[in-house]
Amino acid sequence: MSPISNELILFFLLGLLQGITEPLPISSSGHLMIAQELLGISVGEPQKQLAFATLVNAASLLSVLLIYRSDIFRLTINSTTYLYKRSPDLKSDFDYVKLLIIATIPAGVLGLLLKDILEGHLENIIVVGIALIVTGIFLWLIQNLVGKKNDNQISVIDAIVIGLAQSVALIPGISRSGATVVAAMLKGFTRESALRFSFLLYIPVSIGAVLLQIDTLGDILSESSSMLIPYIIAFLSSFIASYLALKWFINVMKKGKLLYFSIYCFVVGPIVVLFKYIVP
C-alpha cells in the first residue's frame, strides 16, 4: 500500500475515533492520547496534532449544531427578541442562554490559568488511565438516578456546578459530556435536561477552542496543500461518527443505560495503566 493511501487511512481512522468518542462519556482527548502513545498512531509534530484536534473538534461541533438545531434556533430567536420586547413568555429562554454563558466561564478561565500545568504534567497516559477509572466510578454512581428538574428550573448555582464539572474535563481522560451530565443529574435534573444542557454548553466552548487554533490550522494547510485531502477525510469521518454517536447516546440516556460506559471505562482505564507499566 502506498504512503499516500496509508496517510488517508490514518486520518480517516483518527477522525472516526475522535468522532465516536467526543459525544460519549468516555473522553475523546484521552482516546486520542491512547492512540498516539500506546498504538504509535500520530498525525505528526505537536503543531500538526493541535491543528488536527481543532479540525475534528469543529466536525463534532457541526454535528451537535445539526442535532440540536431546533433548540438553538428557538433560544437564539427568543433571547434576542426578549432583549427588545421584554416579553414574559420569552424570559425562560433568555435566562437559559444566560446560564449557559455562566457555565462556560469556569472552563475558559481555568483553561487559561492552568494551561502550562495541563500541558506539562497532565498530558500523561497514566493520568488518562486513572481519569477513565474516575469517570467510570461517577457514571456508575448516577446510573439509576431519575431527576425531576427540567430546563426551566436551572439555577445560577446549578450552572456554576456544571461549569466547574466541565473544567475538570480539562484533564485528559475525564469526559466533558460525562462530567457535565453527572453534575447535572446529581443536581436533580432529568436525563433529557441534563443531556441538552451538556451539549448546548459544548457549543460555546468548542467555538472558542476552534477560533483560538484556526490560525494554526490555516498555516499548516497553506504550507502543505497535500494535507488538504487527508484533513477533509478526517473532518468528514469525524462529523458522521459524531452525529451517529450522539444520536445513539441520546437514546441510551433515555433508557438509563449509562452502565455500558461505566464498564467500558473500568476495562480500558486499568488496561492503559498496566500496559504503560509493562511496556514503558
Side-chain angles (χ1 to χ4, degrees), residues 101-270:
I101 294 171
I102 291 172
T104 302
I105 295 172
V109 173
L110 291 175
L112 291 174
L113 292 177
L114 304 178
K115 184 175 183 292
D116 292 338
I117 295 176
L118 291 169
E119 292 179 352
H121 301 286
L122 295 183
E123 289 193 352
N124 182 302
I125 200 67
I126 301 296
V127 172
V128 171
I130 294 171
L132 282 171
I133 296 170
V134 172
T135 296
I137 291 171
F138 278 96
L139 291 174
W140 181 282
L141 291 175
I142 68 162
Q143 61 175 308
N144 295 319
L145 286 183
V146 180
K148 296 181 179 179
K149 293 166 70 174
N150 58 37
D151 294 353
N152 296 327
Q153 295 173 293
I154 299 176
S155 68
V156 172
I157 297 299
D158 293 332
I160 292 173
V161 169
I162 296 170
L164 289 172
Q166 181 167 251
S167 302
V168 177
L170 292 169
I171 301 171
I174 298 291
S175 164
R176 192 215 64 85
S177 63
T180 50
V181 165
V182 165
M185 292 188 67
L186 287 175
K187 292 293 292 180
F189 287 92
T190 64
R191 293 169 183 145
E192 184 179 358
S193 290
L195 195 64
R196 183 182 295 108
F197 194 85
S198 172
F199 281 100
L200 291 178
L201 182 59
Y202 170 76
I203 294 170
V205 171
S206 183
I207 289 175
V210 170
L211 291 177
L212 285 173
Q213 302 300 333
I214 195 70
D215 288 341
T216 302
L217 179 60
D219 290 343
I220 288 176
L221 290 177
S222 63
E223 290 172 4
S224 178
S225 58
S226 64
M227 296 301 296
L228 182 60
I229 298 301
Y231 274 36
I232 289 175
I233 289 174
F235 183 91
L236 291 176
S237 64
S238 179
F239 168 71
I240 294 171
S242 291
Y243 182 87
L244 295 176
L246 180 50
K247 281 285 192 181
W248 179 65
F249 185 36
I250 291 172
N251 187 49
V252 169
M253 279 290 290
K254 288 178 180 178
K255 296 178 179 178
K257 300 295 185 180
L258 288 173
L259 178 63
Y260 297 155
F261 303 111
S262 179
I263 293 173
Y264 177 85
C265 291
F266 286 147
V267 172
V268 176

Side-chain angles (χ1 to χ4, degrees), residues 14 17-35 56-57 60 128 132 172-177 202:
L14 286 176
L17 175 65
Q18 197 278 341
I20 292 172
T21 56
E22 179 62 54
L24 305 182
I26 54 175
S27 179
S28 60
S29 61
H31 278 75
L32 286 177
M33 285 185 64
I34 291 170
V56 292
N57 182 68
S60 294
V128 171
L132 282 171
I174 298 291
S175 164
R176 192 215 64 85
S177 63
Y202 170 76

